[in-house]
Amino acid sequence: MELTNLTTEQRNQNSTNLDQMSTYEMLKLMNEEDKKVAEAVEMVLPKVEVAVERIVTALSKGGRLFYVGAGTSGRLGVMDASECPPTFMSPPEMVQTVMAGGNNAFFQAIEGSEDHEAQGEADLKSRKLSKQDVVIGITASGRTPYPIGALKFARKMGAYAISLSCNKDSLISRYADCEIEVVVGPEVLTGSTRMKAATSHKMILNMISTTTMVKLGKVYENLMVDVHASNYKLKERAKQNIIEITNVSYDIAEDVLKQTNHEVKPAIVMIKAGVTLEEAKEALSASNGYARTAIESFKGKLNSETPLLD
C-alpha cells in the first residue's frame, strides 16, 4: 500500500484550518480526537487478549518479550519495558526493547535507521532470539522495514510474532501470528503519528505488560506485591500494601518487611498464614510465586478474622 493511501497519512477534515484556530480551539479539537482512541483500542481487545495469553505462556516457561520499533514506536517500547523491573521486580531481560538505531536513538532521531529489514533481523539475532520468545513489531504505518524484518526473523526462528499498527490490512500484519490493527483515523497534524497512533500504542503496551504481570502472579488483589522497594517512596508503598491486604498496624508491617528484606509477597504470606519467613518462601516457591496460592496452601492455619502476627 502506498504511503499516501494509509489512514495514518490522510488529512483530518476536522483540522484543515488548524493554523487559523485559537489556542483553545486547537486544544479542544485534539481532545475530541483523543477521545476516539479508547474506542479504537476497545475494538481490538480480542486480539490483545490473544497476544497476552501467548506472552504469559512464553514468559512462564522462561521466554522473553521483545518490543521492536523505530522512532516513536521504539521509544514507547523502551518506556514500557523499562518500567517492568521496578514495578513488578521482573528480571531486566524478561521484557526488552530492540530499537532502530540503538539506545542513542531514544534521545535523538537517527535518520534512515528504520529503513532496513536486515537490521531488524540482525538486532534480534544479537539478542539470541529463540522459539521460546515473543516479538511485537510496533509501527504506526504498518510498513516500516525495521520491525517487519524483525517479525520475519521471529517467525523463521519459531518465536511468536505479534504486529501492532494503526492501519487496516497493514503490510506488517502479513508476517504476524497475531495482528493488532488499531485504527484511530487521521491525525490532527497530518502524518504526525506521535499523537493518536502513539497514544493507542501506549495504551495497548500498558495493557499487555500489566495484564501479563498480573497473570504471572505479581499482583495481589489490585496491589503491586512484587514492587522493588528500592527507595523511600516504594518502601512506604510496600508497607501500605501490606497494611491494605492484612490489616496489621504500620509498625508490624514495617517490622515484617525488614525481615523479608523489603520483599512484599513473603511478608504478606507470613502475616496472612502466620508462618515463618522460611515457610513463606518455600510456599511461594512451590506456588511459582503466586501469593494467593501460597497463602491457601496453609489453609488449616489461616485465621480469617485477624492476622496471626498481629
Side-chain angles (χ1 to χ4, degrees), residues 14-169:
N14 295 326
S15 62
T16 52
N17 63 335
L18 186 65
D19 63 335
Q20 296 177 304
M21 290 182 179
S22 69
T23 300
Y24 182 77
E25 287 172 335
M26 285 190 277
L27 297 175
K28 189 173 187 303
L29 174 60
M30 290 178 195
N31 181 239
E32 289 297 324
E33 290 292 321
D34 282 343
K35 291 176 184 177
K36 300 175 183 178
V37 175
E39 294 176 354
V41 170
E42 183 179 12
M43 297 295 292
V44 299
L45 288 182
K47 289 288 188 178
V48 179
E49 179 187 20
V50 171
V52 168
E53 295 295 347
R54 290 303 298 255
I55 293 167
V56 170
T57 299
L59 298 191
S60 64
K61 294 179 179 179
R64 300 166 294 172
L65 171 61
F66 290 95
Y67 297 141
V68 182
T72 299
S73 296
R75 293 182 187 101
L76 290 173
V78 171
M79 287 192 292
D80 198 70
S82 66
E83 290 293 340
C84 288
T87 306
F88 303 108
M89 219 186 313
S90 59
E93 65 274 9
M94 179 180 277
V95 184
Q96 304 180 36
T97 300
V98 181
M99 185 169 179
N103 292 337
N104 289 337
F106 183 85
F107 301 100
Q108 184 173 351
I110 298 179
E111 301 301 333
S113 61
E114 65 181 54
D115 292 336
H116 307 287
E117 285 189 14
Q119 193 59 52
E121 174 177 340
D123 288 350
L124 265 186
K125 196 177 289 185
S126 71
R127 306 286 181 104
K128 295 181 169 49
L129 186 78
S130 77
K131 63 183 180 181
Q132 273 119 2
D133 300 324
V134 176
V135 178
I136 302 182
I138 311 167
T139 160
S141 69
R143 66 191 297 281
T144 308
Y146 184 84
I148 288 176
L151 282 202
K152 285 182 177 180
F153 178 64
R155 296 189 77 175
K156 186 163 67 175
M157 293 298 295
Y160 193 74
I162 301 167
S163 64
L164 179 55
S165 66
C166 284
N167 283 295
K168 196 71 176 166
D169 301 320

Side-chain angles (χ1 to χ4, degrees), residues 256-297:
V256 178
L257 199 58
K258 284 179 181 176
Q259 293 180 48
T260 64
N261 195 27
H262 300 289
E263 291 185 36
V264 178
K265 278 202 288 194
I268 292 168
V269 177
M270 287 173 67
I271 297 171
K272 293 281 280 186
V275 297
T276 66
L277 175 58
E278 184 178 356
E279 288 173 318
K281 285 189 172 181
E282 286 176 359
L284 283 166
S285 178
S287 67
N288 293 316
Y290 290 83
R292 191 179 294 276
T293 304
I295 293 166
E296 290 173 354
S297 71

Side-chain angles (χ1 to χ4, degrees), residues 221-232:
E221 295 177 355
N222 63 347
L223 299 172
M224 293 183 285
V225 292
D226 245 347
V227 63
H228 184 200
S230 57
N231 58 34
Y232 176 79

Side-chain angles (χ1 to χ4, degrees), residues 220-225 236-250 253 264 268 271-272 307:
Y220 186 94
E221 295 177 355
N222 63 347
L223 299 172
M224 293 183 285
V225 292
E236 289 303 305
R237 178 181 293 165
K239 293 171 197 172
Q240 191 58 45
N241 287 351
I242 292 170
I243 293 167
E244 288 280 343
I245 293 168
T246 66
N247 293 317
V248 296
S249 66
Y250 181 92
V264 178
I268 292 168
I271 297 171
K272 293 281 280 186

